[in-house]
Amino acid sequence: SVRIGILEVQGAFLEHKIALLKAKEKLQLVTPIEISEVRHQSHVTSSLDGIIIPGGESTTISLFLKRNNMVEPLKKWIEDRNHVTWGTCAGMIILAKQNENQKIGGQPTLGVMDTDVSRNFFGRQVNSFEADISLSDSFLKVCPGEKTFHGVFIRAPAVVQTFSPKVEVLASLKRADMSEPVIVAVQQDNVMATAFHPELTEDVRWHQYFIERVYKNKQAMTGT
Ligand code: GLN
């Protein structure tokens, strides 16, 4: 079976779990998938094949990780080629090498993606909005079909700079008030991040994408 852990700090566990199970149904996978909560250092083990770092508030999440001595174990886990990681919203901020938490001297983060992420890119006034984003070819190769996805953005971050050619754009957002498309989903090796909340929409293609990556990676690493 394949095991996926969801970091549970602020309560997005259930939504992600439901979306994962729905995605698994759609993929018609025969291998069982087990989903568990990650709340403690001892939960960050090699028995997990994938971990989701959900949205919430990045300062709260990084403080939680620090207090529970999970920063280093989680970083090590993510850097292990056997594992696949996905951060959504605040998760995207925490995975970035650079973000405004660090710039203002705040909590250290995991820093595993060569990205610079702006915490509240769309501004404080625009607390939340919904918009269709464009999916890249690398996403569509894994999940063929419709080229757009309805994204729910809640005080959302965005990738403002990338530091390595290894960072691939998975989705971008065109806005009338911005000259360039905004990068709202990226991947680098076995780590992916989305600025929006795919667990809050009925469309589970991002969960399908993640599950596919977890399965393929496990197959590639173990030959099973
Ligand atoms: N901008 C928020 C932060 O700084 C993230 C918001 C979210 O996860 N919905 O953590």
Side-chain angles (χ1 to χ4, degrees):
S1 71
V2 155
R3 301 189 61 201
I4 294 175
I6 303 170
L7 184 71
E8 178 60 352
V9 182
Q10 291 182 312
F13 177 78
L14 204 60
E15 287 85 353
H16 272 295
K17 182 177 179 172
I18 291 167
L20 282 172
L21 293 174
K22 205 168 138 193
K24 195 218 163 223
E25 285 290 296
K26 291 224 160 130
L27 289 166
Q28 298 186 308
L29 297 167
V30 280
T31 325
I33 153 172
E34 283 167 46
I35 301 165
S36 58
E37 291 185 24
V38 174
R39 290 173 179 275
H40 188 261
Q41 202 186 322
S42 67
H43 299 156
V44 186
T45 75
S46 277
S47 67
L48 291 177
D49 306 298
I51 284 184
I52 296 178
I53 304 174
E57 212 277 314
S58 52
T59 311
T60 309
I61 297 172
S62 46
L63 207 60
F64 173 90
L65 294 177
K66 202 178 160 196
R67 288 206 177 119
N68 292 282
N69 299 314
M70 286 169 78
V71 176
E72 282 313 311
L74 194 55
K75 195 172 165 168
K76 258 211 188 125
W77 187 95
I78 295 169
E79 281 168 346
D80 186 328
R81 296 284 304 175
N82 287 293
H83 306 144
V84 179
T85 308
W86 177 19
T88 59
C89 206
M92 172 187 254
I93 301 168
I94 282 170
L95 290 170
K97 216 152 251 178
Q98 237 184 67
N99 65 55
E100 283 143 21
N101 286 12
Q102 285 145 304
K103 283 177 212 155
I104 58 168
Q107 301 305 319
T109 55
L110 299 167
V112 289
M113 295 193 95
D114 292 317
T115 51
D116 185 1
V117 169
S118 171
R119 269 188 83 177
N120 295 296
F121 180 81
F122 300 96
R124 288 182 186 281
Q125 300 88 325
V126 194
N127 268 343
S128 145
F129 65 94
E130 299 186 11
D132 283 343
I133 59 171
S134 308
L135 301 168
S136 73
D137 290 339
S138 9
F139 181 90
L140 293 166
K141 226 190 288 170
V142 180
C143 291
E146 218 188 308
K147 291 187 167 60
T148 60
F149 181 91
H150 194 71
V152 175
F153 293 83
I154 304 169
R155 288 185 302 283
V159 176
V160 289
Q161 204 186 334
T162 61
F163 305 121
S164 155
K166 282 195 191 169
V167 180
E168 248 182 287
V169 175
L170 291 179
S172 58
L173 168 67
K174 280 207 182 82
R175 278 170 64 107
D177 55 345
M178 286 166 198
S179 55
E180 296 288 319
V182 183
I183 300 172
V184 292
V186 283
Q187 73 181 11
Q188 177 174 1
D189 299 322
N190 280 4
V191 186
M192 56 187 268
T194 53
F196 46 94
H197 285 261
E199 78 282 12
L200 298 181
T201 41
E202 291 295 308
D203 186 346
V204 292
R205 279 180 291 159
W206 283 90
H207 289 82
Q208 286 181 20
Y209 183 85
F210 178 65
I211 291 175
E212 288 272 18
R213 295 212 55 194
V214 174
Y215 271 87
K216 291 227 173 89
N217 191 62
K218 191 164 188 176
Q219 265 170 0
M221 300 304 286
T222 64
T224 55

